[in-house]
């Protein structure tokens, strides 16, 4: 007997055979530089909590207070019964951090990208997309029904060439790119891409998921770091990385944000962010703006580690995301396992997430020198990083 579902286990077998199979690992402690993972205490290089805010007492207290006042759920979409004063406070806090006219919060960064791209472009339009963009940008582009052309990673002359070739055939054009690339750690030259977008009459959407809170003097992100604050573009990001909560946002001109409130399906037809997540994000943005020492410490850690690992097979990075290249998926898995035995938690990132396998280390402000040194000892002195 065959069933219509038989192909699923076959497909899963293929995933196993390619060493692409993945399962979640259970952490049983609070977030931080040391975590409890499946009974072991490990130094954590797997977290996006760059500033160490996810376990900060201010955020926890804000989440508890908001839960006591508003309950656990928002009970409806923003346009029906889900809108609270704290949602608006959070949007104004984001607009203030980004120095934009307004901002809108979504239930996740993934939904922010899907909802924004599909609202901005359609069948008669063109999307130019960096080949290494995050899944949420790529799937947002697909869902929009616009024509999608990929340009070579961070290659401005390729982007320019493709715009010259195709731009005139379409109505609107949207360029989409990560600012800090999530699985590589390198950075898009935002001001140059923006100049090009302006000169070719294109909109630009930048994904600041990994840059918000850590780049720029006040943690506003790469747009600010590259001196583009105040120029017209669309900035999206997440509340779940350096901001230590959950949710996504888009920041930009008031007209853009007003349009998204009326046209973005992933905002209109989904339940508003929970009170706890909302309040925690407000508390985090306040800390980001008033306590720059966390950002300073993060960059001190990043520079130290970058320097000590520079002779290994490290991908070019200007961020807390540091990747050690591996020859193939099984080697990446093996190295990740060796690191766990040595007391270090860092994930193997494999296809289809990325074209080539690697171990991804993310640095946090809360890492102590001894934590970084233990990683260096294992990769360099014990030589297990020489792959
Ligand atoms: C994590 C991430 C997202 C998605 O954000 P979530 O809030 O986790 O859904 C989008 N873009 C990039 C580049 C990311 O790294």
């Amino acid at each position: 007997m065959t069933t219509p579902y038989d192909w699923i286990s076959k497909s899963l077998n293929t995933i196993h055979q390619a060493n692409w199979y993945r399962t979640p690992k259970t952490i049983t402690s609070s977030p931080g530089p040391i975590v409890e993972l499946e009974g072991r205490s490990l130094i954590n290089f797997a977290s996006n909590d760059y500033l160490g805010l996810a376990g900060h007492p201010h955020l926890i207290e804000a989440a508890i207070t908001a839960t006591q006042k508003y309950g656990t759920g928002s009970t409806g979409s923003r346009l029906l019964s889900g809108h609270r004063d704290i949602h608006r406070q959070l949007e104004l806090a984001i607009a203030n951090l980004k120095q934009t006219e307004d901002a809108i919060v979504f239930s996740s960064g993934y939904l922010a990208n899907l909802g924004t791209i599909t609202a901005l472009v359609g069948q008669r339009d063109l999307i130019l997309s960096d080949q290494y963009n995050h899944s949420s940008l790529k799937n947002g582009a697909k869902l929009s029904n616009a024509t999608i052309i990929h340009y070579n990673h961070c290659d401005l002359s390729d982007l320019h060439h493709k715009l010259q070739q195709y731009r005139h055939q379409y109505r609107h054009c949207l360029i989409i790119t990560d600012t800090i690339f999530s699985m590589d750690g390198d950075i898009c030259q935002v001001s140059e891409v923006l100049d090009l977008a302006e000169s070719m009459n294109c909109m630009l959407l930048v994904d600041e998921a990994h840059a918000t809170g850590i780049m720029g003097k006040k943690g506003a992100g790469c747009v600010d770091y590259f001196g583009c604050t105040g120029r017209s573009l669309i900035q999206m990001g997440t509340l779940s990385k350096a901001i230590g909560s959950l949710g996504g946002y888009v920041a930009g001109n008031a007209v853009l944000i007003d349009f998204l409130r009326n046209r973005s399906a992933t905002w209109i037809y989904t339940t508003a962010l929970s009170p706890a997540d909302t309040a925690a994000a407000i508390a985090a943005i306040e800390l980001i703006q008033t306590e720059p020492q966390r950002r300073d410490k993060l960059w001190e850690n990043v520079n130290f580690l970058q320097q000590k690992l520079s002779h290994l097979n490290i991908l070019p990075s200007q961020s807390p995301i540091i990747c050690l290249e591996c020859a193939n998926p099984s080697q990446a898995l093996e190295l990740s396992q060796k690191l766990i035995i040595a007391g270090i938690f860092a994930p193997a990132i494999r296809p289809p997430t990325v074209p080539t396998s690697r171990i991804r280390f993310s640095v946090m402000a809360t890492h102590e020198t001894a934590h970084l040194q233990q990683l260096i000892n294992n990769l360099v002195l014990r030589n297990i990083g020489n792959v």
Side-chain angles (χ1 to χ4, degrees):
M1 271 290 279
T2 63
T3 80
Y5 305 99
D6 288 348
W7 67 272
I8 297 175
S9 66
K10 286 200 190 104
S11 182
L12 204 50
N13 275 338
T14 312
I15 294 171
H16 273 292
Q17 276 157 18
N19 273 318
W20 287 15
Y21 184 75
R22 329 186 224 196
T23 47
K25 294 190 178 67
T26 310
I27 288 182
T28 48
S29 61
S30 57
I34 306 276
V35 288
E36 201 71 42
L37 180 95
E38 294 168 353
R40 287 176 211 261
S41 182
L42 302 174
I43 305 173
N44 183 13
F45 288 99
S47 172
N48 295 318
D49 183 23
Y50 298 113
L51 299 173
L53 293 180
H56 194 287
H58 281 17
L59 276 73
I60 295 171
E61 194 183 292
I64 291 171
T65 305
T67 304
Q68 283 166 340
K69 181 165 179 194
Y70 298 101
T72 49
S74 288
T75 75
S77 66
R78 290 283 295 282
L79 293 174
L80 292 178
S81 62
H83 182 59
R84 307 285 177 269
D85 57 354
I86 49 175
H87 291 123
R88 193 60 195 146
Q89 274 173 36
L90 173 57
E91 289 171 340
L92 294 175
I94 293 165
N96 180 268
L97 176 70
K98 291 276 181 180
Q99 294 293 297
T100 55
E101 288 178 359
D102 205 353
I104 179 173
V105 292
F106 290 75
S107 301
S108 77
Y110 208 110
L111 290 172
N113 271 334
L114 295 190
T116 303
I117 297 170
T118 53
L120 291 173
V121 286
Q123 225 157 35
R124 294 159 62 195
D125 305 321
L126 176 66
I127 291 175
L128 265 293
S129 175
D130 187 290
Q131 66 175 146
Y132 287 0
N133 274 341
H134 188 261
S135 161
S136 55
L137 287 170
K138 289 184 172 168
N139 278 330
K142 276 190 203 162
L143 204 56
S144 76
N145 285 321
T147 299
I148 303 162
I149 295 176
H150 291 102
Y151 60 92
N152 296 337
H153 178 51
C154 286
D155 183 341
L156 266 109
S157 68
D158 189 45
L159 173 60
H160 193 185
H161 180 73
K162 284 173 172 154
L163 282 170
Q164 280 175 328
Q165 200 172 356
Y166 299 108
R167 171 70 188 94
H168 67 278
Q169 299 172 22
Y170 296 87
R171 183 183 58 171
H172 305 139
C173 176
L174 175 68
I175 301 170
I176 55 178
T177 182
D178 286 19
T179 57
I180 293 181
F181 282 83
S182 57
M183 294 298 146
D184 297 78
D186 56 348
I187 300 188
C188 162
Q189 297 297 314
V190 175
S191 62
E192 291 171 28
V193 178
L194 186 53
D195 290 344
L196 192 52
E198 283 174 357
S199 75
M200 300 295 284
N201 190 28
C202 301
M203 300 178 281
L204 172 62
L205 185 160
V206 294
D207 184 332
E208 294 263 60
H210 291 275
T212 304
I214 73 159
M215 292 295 290
K217 282 212 167 56
K218 296 194 172 135
C222 280
V223 170
D224 190 55
Y225 175 80
F226 285 108
C228 298
T229 299
R231 292 174 71 179
S232 283
L233 82 163
I234 302 151
Q235 301 183 54
M236 69 73 58
T238 179
L239 306 174
S240 68
K241 288 170 180 147
I243 293 176
S245 180
L246 180 69
Y249 69 81
V250 175
N253 297 343
V255 172
L256 165 79
I257 302 306
D258 209 20
F259 177 78
L260 293 177
R261 279 193 288 259
N262 286 275
R263 275 282 190 275
S264 184
T266 62
W267 185 81
I268 298 169
Y269 302 105
T270 198
T271 302
L273 211 58
S274 78
D277 292 323
T278 309
I282 295 170
I285 291 171
E286 195 180 308
L287 290 178
I288 284 168
Q289 290 181 304
T290 56
E291 299 182 1
Q293 62 271 24
R294 270 186 206 84
R295 207 155 36 251
D296 296 342
K297 181 66 185 159
L298 172 68
W299 285 104
E300 198 183 295
N301 285 349
V302 170
N303 292 333
F304 178 72
L305 203 59
Q306 295 263 17
Q307 190 210 329
K308 298 286 184 185
L309 301 181
S310 61
H311 60 290
L312 296 179
N313 202 4
I314 295 288
L315 293 175
S317 163
Q318 301 114 277
S319 76
I321 300 165
I322 301 176
C323 294
L324 181 63
E325 267 201 298
C326 300
N328 52 53
S330 70
Q331 194 190 60
L333 283 175
E334 206 176 295
L335 179 51
S336 178
Q337 202 51 45
K338 273 190 195 162
L339 285 169
I340 284 184
I341 292 164
I344 288 162
F345 179 34
I349 311 289
R350 292 163 283 159
T353 307
V354 287
T356 57
S357 297
R358 64 204 64 176
I359 304 290
R360 178 179 183 273
F361 302 97
S362 49
V363 183
M364 294 189 286
T366 45
H367 280 134
E368 293 165 15
T369 309
H371 300 142
L372 305 177
Q373 197 58 55
Q374 189 164 334
L375 176 61
I376 294 160
N377 288 351
N378 277 288
L379 292 180
V380 180
L381 301 182
R382 286 187 59 216
N383 210 25
I384 64 175
N386 243 331
V387 290

